């Protein structure tokens, strides 16, 4: 197996990250797969696994790029405003990115178990912004409400299929 330089590895990772981001934004989290990426990039899945050891690691390509989009959709001034804006953004059919972020967060936690550290970090960032405005305890309760409701939405969607 040929070795590559650190610069080439960084360049490859940037290219792969850009594709992950594009697919995520255009089509959603379910379409970001080893198969899809390897076909579009013309490389083996094993090569991708050298950059992303598991599917959850594809989320690293989104870091710093998606959270600003999510936060602009949320009213962080009150618990009620946050909950309302969360579900308004979730059900917005004009812009599916928020819904895909939520899907990624929830499915990654469920699928990854102990590998959910990065996902927890993203959730904590949202909670931290909210807690700056409404306090830590109220922010935690609010996050529990929105994620609890999301779980019920997903259960209903699964049952109705």
């Amino acid at each position: 197996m040929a070795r590559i330089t650190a610069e080439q590895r960084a360049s490859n990772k940037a290219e792969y990250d850009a594709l992950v981001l594009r697919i995520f934004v255009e089509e959603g989290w379910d379409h970001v797969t080893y198969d899809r990426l390897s076909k579009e990039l013309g490389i083996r899945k094993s090569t991708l696994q050298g950059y992303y050891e598991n599917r959850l690691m594809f989320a690293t390509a989104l870091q710093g790029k998606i959270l600003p989009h999510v936060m602009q959709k949320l009213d962080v001034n009150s618990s009620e405003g946050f909950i309302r804006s969360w579900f308004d953004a979730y059900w917005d059919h004009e812009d599916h990115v928020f819904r895909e972020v939520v899907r990624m967060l929830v499915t990654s936690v469920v699928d990854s178990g102990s590998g959910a550290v990065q996902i927890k970090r993203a959730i904590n960032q949202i909670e931290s912004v909210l807690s700056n405005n409404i306090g830590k305890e109220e922010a935690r309760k609010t996050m529990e409400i929105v994620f609890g409701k999301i779980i019920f939405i997903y259960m209903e969607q699964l049952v109705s299929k």
Side-chain angles (χ1 to χ4, degrees):
M1 181 163 122
R3 298 258 177 208
I4 62 172
T5 65
E7 292 82 17
Q8 183 60 53
R9 181 170 175 78
S11 175
N12 291 350
K13 178 75 164 65
E15 177 186 1
Y16 305 162
D17 284 357
L19 181 58
V20 169
L21 179 62
R22 182 182 63 76
I23 293 170
F24 178 81
V25 169
E26 291 177 4
E27 301 175 45
W29 180 245
D30 292 341
H31 295 274
V32 180
T33 65
Y34 283 112
D35 282 336
R36 173 72 180 276
L37 292 167
S38 65
K39 284 178 186 162
E40 287 207 27
L41 292 164
I43 61 175
R44 294 186 310 254
K45 285 188 254 182
S46 60
T47 300
L48 279 173
Q49 289 168 335
Y51 292 84
Y52 310 97
E53 69 182 53
N54 58 51
R55 185 168 185 268
L56 176 60
M57 297 306 291
F58 291 140
T60 62
L62 308 177
Q63 288 179 337
K65 298 173 183 83
I66 297 296
L67 188 60
H69 179 82
V70 168
M71 294 310 296
Q72 77 178 18
K73 300 275 187 179
L74 299 173
D75 174 357
V76 296
N77 295 310
S78 69
S79 178
E80 298 79 16
F82 184 87
I83 294 166
R84 181 186 29 65
S85 63
W86 178 277
F87 289 103
D88 286 348
Y90 184 82
W91 293 114
D92 181 357
H93 294 291
E94 302 283 318
D95 180 1
H96 71 277
V97 173
F98 186 91
R99 186 171 44 259
E100 289 301 326
V101 168
V102 172
R103 177 184 299 283
M104 177 192 63
L105 293 172
V106 172
T107 59
S108 295
V109 168
V110 171
D111 292 346
S112 68
S114 63
V117 173
Q118 290 179 331
I119 298 303
K120 182 164 177 26
R121 191 175 304 132
I123 293 168
N124 286 346
Q125 284 180 296
I126 298 168
E127 184 178 344
S128 176
V129 172
L130 184 60
S131 71
N132 288 339
N133 293 306
I134 67 171
K136 191 171 185 173
E137 188 175 316
E138 189 67 20
R140 174 52 57 110
K141 288 178 186 176
T142 303
M143 296 297 286
E144 289 171 355
I145 289 168
V146 294
F147 278 101
K149 286 184 177 185
I150 287 295
I151 296 297
F152 276 90
I153 289 169
Y154 288 157
M155 284 190 309
E156 289 297 321
Q157 290 172 344
L158 288 173
V159 169
S160 66
K161 284 186 177 181

